[in-house]
Every structure is written in C-alpha cells, then in structure tokens.
Amino acid sequence: MTKHLIQVINPNTNVAMTHTIAQAARSVAAPSSEIIAVCPTQGVESIEGHFDEAIAAIGVLEQIKRGKEQGVSGHVIACFGDPGLLAARELANGPVIGIAEAAMHAATMVATRFSIVTTLPRTVIIARHLLRQYGFEHHCAALHAIDLPVLALEDGTGLAQMKVRERCIQAMKEDNSGAIVLGCGGMANLARELTAELGIPVIDGVTAAVKMVESLIALGLGTSKYGDLAYPNKKPLSGCFDMLS
Ligand code: 2AL
C-alpha cells in the first residue's frame, strides 16, 4: 500500500508538546497515512500572543518547505492561532489545515452552538479574531480561559488538564452549548475522554485536521494555485530568510 505522508507541524519548539500532538494525530490516522510530526528548529517555546505567532509563522513556513521536499501530501498547522496559515498555503501544493479552523468547522457540523476552552485570557482574544475571520462568530456561544500558560499542559502535574475538564463542564452548563472546542494543540489528548464523560462532542483540532486533510487528499484536492494562494512571486530573500528560498 502506498502511504500518504501527512506532515503535522507544531509551530512552537516544545518537544514534549510535539509528542502529545503526534500521538493524537497517529491515534486517528488511516492505515494509509503516515504522520510526520515536526516543530521548528528556531522560534518560541509556546505561542500565546501576536508576537509569538509572528515568529512561529516563519518556523511553520520552514517546515512546509521541508515537508514539500520530503514529498508529503498534506500539512496540519497544530497551534490554535493557525499561525502562518495563508502563507503556508501559498508555499504548499497539498492541502494545509489549521487546527482552529478544523475544530470550528467540525463543531458547526455536530452542534448549532459551541464554546471554546483555551489557555490564557489573551488567547481568548486571538480565538475571537479567528471566529470572525472564518465566519463562525455566530456559532460560538462563549470563550473561556483556564488561565494557565500553554506549557502548563506539559508540566506533568495534571493541574492544567484538571482545569480544562472543569472549564469544559462549566462551559457546557453555563453556555448551553452543544459542543466544546479545545483551544490548544497541547489539549489534543483530552478530547476523547471528555467527550465520553460530558456526553457532548469535545473537539480537538489536531485529530479533526488530520481527518480533514486525509479527506481532501482522498478527493484529490490540493491548495488552489490560482489567485492569492499561487506560489509566492520569486524574489531574493535576504539574511536568515534565505532558508525559505
Ligand atoms: C497555542 C497552541 O495551540 N500551541 C501553543 O503554543 N499555543 N494556542 C493557545 N491558544 O494556547
């Protein structure tokens, strides 16, 4: 069987989180898919604001270029801010899906309204921007923060995971939402158990994006190279950006 390589990019440089994301991606991947999980060689350890996202986007582009050279069929950007998504689509020929858009799309297909549970309050604002950009504002009942930084999910204490669980339960009751979207790549391993416990769909974008990329590949659909997502216009890239040329 020829395997399709699917590149799952953790845009932050944290190796433990890349492992969590890789495990979640492999848990749903089809036998015909091989997951290549990577993170940038340089960048930020966690992405919690616009500054972090700008740096992470460069790392995403570096990995998209590498993935293309390896012959991957599709890419997932596994950070809830979807950093560098449209730029990545310009570089790629296969499909590129961000985990925020994947989770939001999935949520609208299984519930009328959803709530988002993310990490820090400032990432709530970023998620709200994405809802507006993707046209899902009217589907989102409310956004919640566990008020812990992203890397608390990897500190081994289980505190962040406990707070995610509590917030999901609270969101379900307070917002009367039919589904919950988990707002961080580091929460990817929590969705299945929470779905069973809460009795409503709790959606992780990593697993959703892997299945969506697989579907697009199976349909023979790649990123359009007509219009704004055409390959970037050729021009010299100076300094450290030479790696992208
Ligand atoms: C994220 C995420 O998914 N990974 C990361 O480093 N920051 N976003 C978030 N809202 O917590």
Side-chain angles (χ1 to χ4, degrees):
M1 185 195 341
T2 43
K3 288 226 176 194
H4 284 295
L5 304 178
I6 297 177
Q7 185 191 40
V8 178
I9 305 168
N10 173 20
N12 74 42
T13 58
N14 188 276
V15 174
M17 190 166 291
T18 307
H19 186 66
T20 302
I21 288 167
Q23 273 191 323
R26 292 196 179 106
S27 76
V28 296
S32 57
S33 300
E34 188 181 326
I35 301 293
I36 303 178
V38 293
C39 62
T41 55
Q42 303 178 67
V44 278
E45 263 237 295
S46 61
I47 301 154
E48 295 165 326
H50 303 293
F51 177 88
D52 298 345
E53 284 195 1
I55 294 170
I58 301 298
V60 166
L61 296 179
E62 175 201 2
Q63 293 304 323
I64 295 274
K65 183 170 181 277
R66 281 196 186 180
K68 272 177 73 179
E69 287 160 3
Q70 291 174 304
V72 308
S73 302
H75 317 255
V76 171
I77 300 179
C79 169
F80 203 74
D82 295 351
L85 178 60
L86 290 176
R89 286 193 175 134
E90 282 190 32
L91 266 192
N93 32 289
V96 186
I97 297 193
I99 64 169
E101 61 169 356
M104 290 172 189
H105 274 278
T108 62
M109 293 169 188
V110 292
T112 309
R113 281 150 43 95
F114 62 84
S115 299
I116 298 177
V117 173
T118 183
T119 51
L120 290 177
R122 67 188 300 169
T123 67
V124 164
I125 301 168
I126 293 178
R128 201 170 269 133
H129 268 129
L130 287 183
L131 284 167
R132 201 167 306 144
Q133 191 179 319
Y134 297 151
F136 291 131
E137 226 177 352
H138 299 296
H139 293 267
C140 183
L143 298 98
H144 305 262
I146 59 166
D147 209 3
L148 284 177
V150 169
L151 292 186
L153 288 157
E154 297 296 340
D155 70 5
T157 64
L159 175 68
Q161 285 76 4
M162 194 184 79
K163 285 206 167 200
V164 171
R165 176 182 172 274
E166 285 172 4
R167 269 295 180 171
C168 286
I169 293 169
Q170 198 184 340
M172 176 184 164
K173 289 184 185 154
E174 281 177 10
D175 308 339
N176 212 16
S177 281
I180 311 274
V181 164
L182 298 179
C184 181
M187 299 175 186
N189 53 350
L190 306 179
R192 214 171 269 268
E193 252 180 55
L194 288 173
T195 297
E197 185 187 348
L198 271 65
I200 62 170
V202 177
I203 300 160
D204 145 59
V206 175
T207 45
V210 166
K211 299 314 285 180
M212 288 177 190
V213 162
E214 283 181 347
S215 302
L216 293 172
I217 293 168
L219 292 166
L221 299 175
T223 297
S224 174
K225 293 292 114 189
Y226 185 72
D228 67 319
L229 298 182
Y231 297 117
N233 293 338
K234 285 259 177 275
K235 62 190 79 167
L237 292 166
S238 57
C240 65
F241 298 109
D242 184 45
M243 68 175 178
L244 294 174
S245 55

